[in-house]
């Protein structure tokens, strides 16, 4: 079955539909990772987006439930160059096609992803639609002009609070399982769209983790008597998550804080800083980041479309710790007067390299130091 990808600027490509037979809209973005398509599909930070994979062969190792970062796919749609319908992997439990179909996620193959990515890099990430051209699935065959108009009327991510869509509704606790065992510290993790591997990384470091809904008041979080606070990744425009910003403002100075991705942006906003939308974002497992404290270069995993304006933060309050070597955007900072630090990228990877996994250990040490 054929289907069209329609972008809001009129750029149109045709491919073969797999997964669910349905129409979807979302911001079209690309990811440069060579592996980990299941982790990408299930990352809550992709809510509201149609993801294009730059690596051509997708689906060849199938789907394994233990590799998921959330209970279900979070993307609106999925686009690949070559789809492999016959997985070859002893761990595979399901084909990618069946998985997407079961969760009602449409996908396109046979797309010239090189041309599509070049277009997005040139024009910027934009709204798009996957639309089936099958007569049986629409009341009439729509012309391209009509489809473009439909895309332009669809919601964008600027100003959108998508955290409420992906955050859990009830708190849940995960016990520490560090090896060798060490004195466990209790942390409260705000779920703005937390990935499962972040929880695994925290418990493996030696934390008892209580994950709470994104809108939990700061007073209730502190009533849990945490040794530290963790602010997770998540989707959408950080400036729209006003409750997260306000709660973080109240938590600074009350307990050590570590933020990742959206959590990094929320800390900056809580300090009175600003965020802005990147032209096409950073998404992939090969972003070079310089650690300004050690001078070392880390190859890191990224997934974000917004960035912190480093000029909006006060030198008297913050110390910049990490910078992106591709475009010099801010990748990390720490507070000078409080035990708070954060990074824009993903030290837990999944998928991606583990160069930055030391940050979880740094959080543990920060809590230890705050107790002395």
């Amino acid at each position: 079955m054929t289907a069209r990808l329609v972008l809001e600027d009129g750029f149109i490509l045709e491919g073969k539909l797999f997964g669910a037979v349905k129409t979807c809209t979302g911001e079209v973005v690309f990811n440069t990772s060579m592996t980990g398509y299941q982790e990408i599909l299930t990352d809550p930070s992709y809510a509201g987006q149609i993801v294009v994979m730059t690596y051509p062969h997708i689906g060849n190792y199938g789907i394994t439930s233990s590799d998921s970062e959330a209970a279900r796919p979070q993307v609106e749609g999925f686009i690949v160059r070559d789809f492999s319908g016959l997985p070859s992997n002893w761990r595979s439990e399901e084909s990618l096609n069946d998985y997407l179909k079961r969760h009602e996620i449409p996908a396109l193959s046979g797309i010239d992803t090189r041309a599509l990515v070049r277009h997005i890099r040139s024009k910027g990430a934009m709204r798009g639609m996957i639309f089936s051209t099958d007569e049986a699935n629409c009341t009439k065959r729509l012309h391209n002009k009509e489809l473009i108009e439909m895309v332009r009327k669809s919601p964008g991510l600027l100003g959108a609070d998508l955290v409420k869509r992906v955050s859990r509704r009830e708190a849940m606790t995960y016990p520490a399982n560090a090896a060798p065992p060490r004195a466990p510290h209790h942390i409260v993790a705000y779920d703005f769209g937390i990935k499962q591997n972040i929880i695994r990384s925290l418990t493996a470091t030696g934390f008892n983790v209580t994950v709470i809904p994104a809108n939990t008041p700061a007073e209730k979080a502190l009533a849990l008597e945490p040794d530290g606070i963790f602010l997770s990744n998540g989707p959408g425009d950080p400036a729209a998550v006003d409750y997260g910003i306000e709660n973080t403002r109240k938590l600074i100075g009350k307990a050590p804080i570590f933020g990742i991705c959206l959590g990094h942006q929320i800390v900056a906003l809580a300090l009175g800083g600003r965020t802005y939308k990147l032209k096409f974002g950073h998404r992939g497992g090969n972003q070079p980041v310089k650690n300004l404290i050690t001078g070392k270069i880390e190859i890191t995993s990224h997934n974000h479309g917004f960035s912190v304006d480093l000029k909006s933060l006060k030198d008297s309050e913050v110390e910049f710790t990490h910078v992106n070597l591709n475009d010099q955007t801010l990748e990390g900072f720490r507070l000078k007067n409080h035990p708070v630090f954060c990074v824009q990228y993903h030290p837990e990877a999944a998928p991606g390299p583990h160069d930055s996994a030391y940050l979880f250990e740094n959080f543990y040490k920060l809590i230890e130091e705050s107790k002395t």
Side-chain angles (χ1 to χ4, degrees), residues 8 20 22 80 83 86 94 98 105 112 120 136 141 171 179 206 240 254 266 276 278-279 314 330 334 347 357 366:
E8 63 179 290
K22 62 178 291 188
V80 305
F83 164 61
L86 184 63
E94 187 177 15
D98 290 343
I105 306 293
D112 186 346
I120 294 173
R141 186 178 294 276
K254 302 295 185 181
I266 284 177
Y276 63 95
L278 294 166
K279 185 175 182 180
K314 299 177 182 178
L330 181 63
R334 63 188 181 188
L366 185 66

Side-chain angles (χ1 to χ4, degrees), residues 186-250:
H186 175 226
I187 65 168
V188 166
Y190 271 86
D191 178 12
F192 299 123
I194 196 168
K195 291 171 60 181
Q196 191 61 37
N197 204 46
I198 288 178
I199 298 173
R200 284 192 290 263
S201 297
L202 289 168
T203 57
T205 303
F207 294 114
N208 291 320
V209 183
T210 301
V211 184
I212 60 176
N215 61 355
T216 303
E219 296 77 11
K220 286 191 176 181
L222 292 173
L224 297 172
E225 300 183 345
D227 298 309
I229 302 289
F230 178 80
L231 306 175
S232 83
N233 63 296
D237 187 343
V241 192
D242 52 357
Y243 47 90
I245 298 167
E246 181 58 29
N247 285 325
T248 300
R249 189 176 291 122
K250 294 177 181 178

Side-chain angles (χ1 to χ4, degrees), residues 256-267:
I257 296 176
F258 176 25
I260 285 178
C261 200
L262 182 66
H264 160 91
Q265 297 162 358
I266 284 177
V267 171

Side-chain angles (χ1 to χ4, degrees), residues 12 57 80 86 149 199 202 206 265 301 316 322 339:
I12 298 175
H57 305 295
V80 305
L86 184 63
E149 187 60 28
I199 298 173
L202 289 168
Q265 297 162 358
S301 177
S316 60
H322 299 79

Side-chain angles (χ1 to χ4, degrees), residues 122-181:
S122 173
K123 304 295 184 180
M126 65 185 78
R127 292 168 294 180
M129 171 192 289
I130 293 177
F131 181 80
S132 169
T133 58
D134 182 36
E135 286 283 5
N137 295 290
C138 56
T139 55
K140 64 176 182 177
R141 186 178 294 276
L142 297 178
H143 296 291
N144 289 339
K145 288 184 179 180
E146 295 173 284
L147 294 177
I148 295 169
E149 187 60 28
M150 289 171 62
V151 174
R152 289 174 177 171
K153 291 180 179 179
S154 65
L157 293 191
L158 194 62
D161 176 11
L162 299 181
V163 168
K164 292 178 180 177
R165 183 195 301 185
V166 300
S167 180
R168 68 192 60 210
R169 300 293 183 262
E170 297 180 355
M172 183 175 294
T173 299
Y174 301 83
N177 63 352

Side-chain angles (χ1 to χ4, degrees), residues 5-162:
L5 171 67
V6 182
L7 300 186
E8 63 179 290
D9 69 348
F11 187 80
I12 298 175
L13 292 172
E14 189 169 283
K16 295 181 179 179
L17 189 71
F18 69 100
V21 180
K22 62 178 291 188
T23 293
C24 75
T25 59
E27 182 183 53
V28 182
V29 300
F30 63 87
N31 187 296
T32 60
S33 296
M34 297 177 68
T35 63
Y37 56 79
Q38 181 178 345
E39 291 92 329
I40 291 165
L41 286 167
T42 54
D43 183 346
S45 294
Y46 281 117
Q49 296 178 322
I50 298 172
V51 177
V52 182
M53 298 298 295
T54 63
Y55 188 72
H57 305 295
I58 302 296
N60 52 312
Y61 56 81
I63 296 292
T64 305
S65 56
S66 59
D67 289 344
S68 292
E69 292 300 314
R72 56 163 289 124
Q74 302 293 315
V75 301
E76 302 298 318
F78 198 47
I79 297 174
V80 305
R81 176 66 183 91
D82 297 315
F83 164 61
S84 176
L86 184 63
S88 178
N89 176 12
W90 67 271
R91 297 177 68 241
S92 178
E93 302 167 1
E94 187 177 15
S95 72
L96 176 59
N97 181 52
D98 290 343
Y99 178 70
L100 293 175
K101 187 179 298 184
R102 179 162 60 87
H103 289 288
E104 299 185 343
I105 306 293
L108 280 178
S109 68
I111 292 289
D112 186 346
T113 51
R114 292 178 66 182
L116 177 55
V117 169
R118 286 172 64 91
H119 186 79
I120 294 173
R121 280 183 60 90
S122 173
K123 304 295 184 180
M126 65 185 78
R127 292 168 294 180
M129 171 192 289
I130 293 177
F131 181 80
S132 169
T133 58
D134 182 36
E135 286 283 5
N137 295 290
C138 56
T139 55
K140 64 176 182 177
R141 186 178 294 276
L142 297 178
H143 296 291
N144 289 339
K145 288 184 179 180
E146 295 173 284
L147 294 177
I148 295 169
E149 187 60 28
M150 289 171 62
V151 174
R152 289 174 177 171
K153 291 180 179 179
S154 65
L157 293 191
L158 194 62
D161 176 11
L162 299 181

